Amino acid sequence: MSQVYLPKELQPSSCRTLARIGKDFDGGYIIDARNIQISDCLIGLGMNDDWSFEEHFTDLQKIPTYIFDGTVGQSRFIKNLILSIIRIDNISIFLHWVKTIFKYHFFFNGSKKHIRLLVDEIKGKEFISFKDLIEQYFVEEDKKVFLKIDIEGSEYRLLDHLVDISDKISGMVIEFHNVDLHIDKIVKFTNNFSLKLCHVHANNYGGVNKFDVPLAIECTYSSSSFSSSKDASCPNEIDMPNNPLSQDLQIIFN
């Protein structure tokens, strides 16, 4: 297993109630299971063609769910299906899009919504700011929201807002991209955020720079109380590599 390096400030605290939510490999995340039961709403930022995390989460806690992603939808999935017919020599691609279309149709109904907007601090009809998102979709007092954030680099524009509303957040998993360029921002956010860092995983799809710093990491924060002792094992026994064809990355905190 290859070793990668992160600052000791990002070493998570030991948490005995971690659970894997979502599918195996890429798309599943490790969170504090106690956060599920105290959540009144689930908001996912970024979806692509995989909402297995939200599906698993809402099987355990049936709560209103909003997933924001303006890059995909039923029409895009149908287009991909048609394109796959042209390359019918690869039947697995065709079957993937058939399955995706059916799963999309049956999952997004009732209190589970796909909002076709991108979450970013950019003006435009295809965007919604994080502040407006919270005000429009989660305004109830004394309620808690669980957040899943994977928005390909735009997460850094949200960090100050997340600190401001931390009292509303039951738990959060966030994927940080271009980690080597933004490591100081990640450390500062973790220090200022009232939720405690309880898990870190290096995404082996993201690559590693010449200093063996992982370029994409998944960080989990919890509002529940637990030990202040540091967890030395990253990955732990329930982690899985994002890319199943490559070994997971062992994180050394120094």
Side-chain angles (χ1 to χ4, degrees):
M1 186 181 297
S2 298
Q3 292 183 339
V4 293
Y5 298 88
L6 288 174
K8 62 182 179 181
E9 291 89 346
L10 294 180
Q11 185 170 7
S13 297
S14 180
C15 179
R16 297 183 178 181
T17 50
L18 295 178
R20 184 177 182 85
I21 304 298
K23 70 178 187 180
D24 290 349
F25 308 113
D26 201 39
Y29 295 94
I30 307 296
I31 68 171
D32 185 346
R34 295 173 296 173
N35 297 162
I36 298 172
Q37 298 303 318
I38 62 172
S39 298
D40 302 291
C41 177
L42 172 62
I43 293 178
L45 311 186
M47 179 177 77
N48 197 10
D49 60 353
D50 178 12
W51 48 93
S52 61
F53 176 87
E54 291 84 357
E55 188 173 31
H56 190 177
F57 194 108
T58 54
D59 281 344
L60 300 172
Q61 178 79 334
K62 300 187 185 308
I63 52 177
T65 299
Y66 305 97
I67 305 181
F68 291 80
D69 194 325
T71 66
V72 294
Q74 187 84 305
S75 59
R76 175 62 64 86
F77 299 148
I78 292 173
K79 179 179 179 181
N80 289 342
L81 174 65
I82 293 170
L83 291 173
S84 73
I85 295 173
I86 300 172
R87 298 187 63 245
I88 200 63
D89 57 300
N90 192 337
I91 191 66
S92 63
I93 297 176
F94 173 78
L95 294 176
H96 167 77
W97 291 115
V98 170
K99 183 179 179 181
T100 298
I101 290 167
F102 276 98
K103 287 173 68 71
Y104 182 88
H105 175 74
F106 286 107
F107 181 73
F108 290 102
N109 62 75
S111 63
K112 298 188 283 288
K113 310 288 187 184
H114 172 206
I115 312 299
R116 297 193 64 179
L117 292 171
L118 295 168
V119 180
D120 210 326
E121 304 304 306
I122 299 173
K123 290 184 178 180
K125 62 181 181 179
E126 68 271 36
F127 296 98
I128 184 171
S129 71
F130 186 69
K131 182 175 182 293
D132 288 344
L133 180 157
I134 292 298
E135 290 178 353
Q136 293 180 35
Y137 294 92
F138 193 76
V139 296
E140 300 160 278
E141 294 294 331
D142 302 320
K143 300 292 184 180
K144 296 285 188 178
V145 58
F146 191 98
L147 291 168
K148 187 210 79 175
I149 302 174
D150 183 4
I151 50 178
E152 306 302 325
S154 293
E155 62 273 8
Y156 297 103
R157 298 191 179 102
L158 310 185
L159 298 185
D160 289 341
H161 300 298
L162 290 168
V163 171
D164 291 342
I165 66 158
S166 58
D167 61 320
K168 289 181 172 288
I169 302 174
S170 58
M172 181 178 75
V173 58
I174 179 170
E175 184 157 344
F176 289 109
H177 301 83
N178 300 314
V179 170
D180 57 336
L181 302 180
H182 300 288
I183 193 68
D184 291 342
K185 293 179 183 178
I186 300 170
V187 170
K188 179 182 178 182
F189 167 74
T190 299
N191 289 337
N192 291 339
F193 199 38
S194 64
L195 279 69
K196 187 180 290 187
L197 182 64
C198 64
H199 183 258
V200 177
H201 181 249
N203 185 333
N204 65 345
Y205 271 127
V208 176
N209 76 359
K210 64 181 180 179
F211 301 108
D212 291 328
V213 173
L215 303 186
I217 59 173
E218 301 158 352
C219 293
T220 302
Y221 300 85
S222 173
S223 65
S224 300
S225 59
F226 45 85
S227 170
S228 59
S229 64
K230 296 298 183 179
D231 188 352
S233 55
C234 292
N236 65 27
E237 63 276 6
I238 61 173
D239 267 313
M240 290 184 178
N242 297 73
N243 179 1
L245 301 179
S246 299
Q247 285 189 327
D248 223 339
L249 299 172
Q250 182 183 11
I251 303 175
I252 305 300
F253 298 94
N254 58 12

